[in-house]
Structure formats: structure tokens, C-alpha cells
Amino acid sequence: MRGRVSRRALSVHDFQLSIETLNPATIPDVNQPELGIDLQDLRVDAKSALRQAAQMQFRTVELPAAQGETTPQSLSPSGRRHLQRIVADLGLSMSALSADFPGLRLSDPRSVDERVERTCAIIDLATELGVSTVTAA
């Protein structure tokens, strides 16, 4: 009978062979936290900071999105795809985008509307990049 799947019972031996062929280094340990770095701490441009983070063996990075070259206004659609590709090629993942505005942040009534708009743009960017966390100091 074509297309019929054999329904034999799996034995403990079958399971053991499957476990032995797995590379433990490729299985993430959900109980082990990943070590990440805020790229602003490296005080270089974004590409250099990403390379340095990978060289230092960090696994996750927080990108500054309130100012600099990784703001929503600075990243075109192709720039956003390029950023994602660089991060992935380096073996990194983006854990957060920083919406840390210098100065009085959201407490200054003269600039609160503009800062709320910028914060919303950062949240939209995070959604587009698949980043689940936006931070602010």
C-alpha cells in the first residue's frame, strides 16, 4: 500500500540513538541566561559595535534607537533588512532597542509630544525587526 506510514512503536533504544546524535552545543539551555551588551557601551559605529560584540562572544545586543545611525528615521527598509542580516551573520540576536532620550525624557512638557512620537516609532521598528523589548532609562 503506497503512502502508508508504518506504525511501529518507538523503543528506548531509538530514543537513545536520537539523543546521542544531537550536538549539545546547538541546543539552547532555557535555564541558562544569555549574556548581552548594550552597543552604546562600545562607543563605536553600529557595524563595528556588532562585530566587537560577536568577537567578545556576546549572544544578544541592545541597539540604540533614540539617536545615532539605528533610529527609525535613519534606517530605510533596505537598511533594516541589512541590519537584520548583519546581526544574524554574526551569530547575534537583538534582545532590545533602547528608547533612551537624553535630557528630561518624557517629563518635559515642551518636548513630550515629539518624544512620544519618537518612542512610538521605535516600538514600530522593534515590531518590524522582531525585537520584543524596548528599554528606556
Side-chain angles (χ1 to χ4, degrees):
M1 297 172 84
R2 295 174 90 190
R4 187 157 186 176
V5 177
S6 171
R7 292 189 182 218
R8 72 177 182 88
L10 290 176
S11 69
V12 171
H13 177 73
D14 293 326
F15 181 72
Q16 188 64 35
L17 286 176
S18 298
I19 294 297
E20 289 171 1
T21 59
L22 293 175
N23 179 355
T26 63
I27 303 171
D29 182 356
V30 295
N31 295 318
Q32 183 67 33
E34 291 185 324
L35 189 58
I37 187 169
D38 182 345
L39 294 184
Q40 289 177 323
D41 292 340
L42 298 174
R43 292 182 169 69
V44 294
D45 65 278
K47 284 184 185 178
S48 297
L50 288 166
R51 285 190 204 104
Q52 286 181 14
Q55 288 171 348
M56 292 186 285
Q57 300 183 352
F58 286 101
R59 303 290 8 125
T60 65
V61 294
E62 178 178 350
L63 281 94
Q67 53 191 6
E69 60 190 313
T70 53
T71 65
Q73 299 79 14
S74 299
L75 288 171
S76 66
S78 64
R80 294 168 191 214
R81 289 189 301 273
H82 184 67
L83 174 63
Q84 288 177 303
R85 192 169 37 254
I86 290 171
V87 169
D89 288 350
L90 290 169
L92 299 169
S93 65
M94 290 182 269
S95 60
L97 297 183
S98 171
D100 186 18
F101 299 108
L104 297 175
R105 296 176 177 82
L106 298 175
S107 63
D108 182 359
R110 295 170 292 170
S111 64
V112 70
D113 291 338
E114 180 255 339
R115 289 175 185 236
V116 167
E117 282 182 37
R118 289 177 59 194
T119 301
C120 289
I122 292 169
I123 292 169
D124 291 342
L125 176 63
T127 300
E128 186 177 329
L129 295 175
V131 178
S132 61
T133 304
V134 174
T135 64

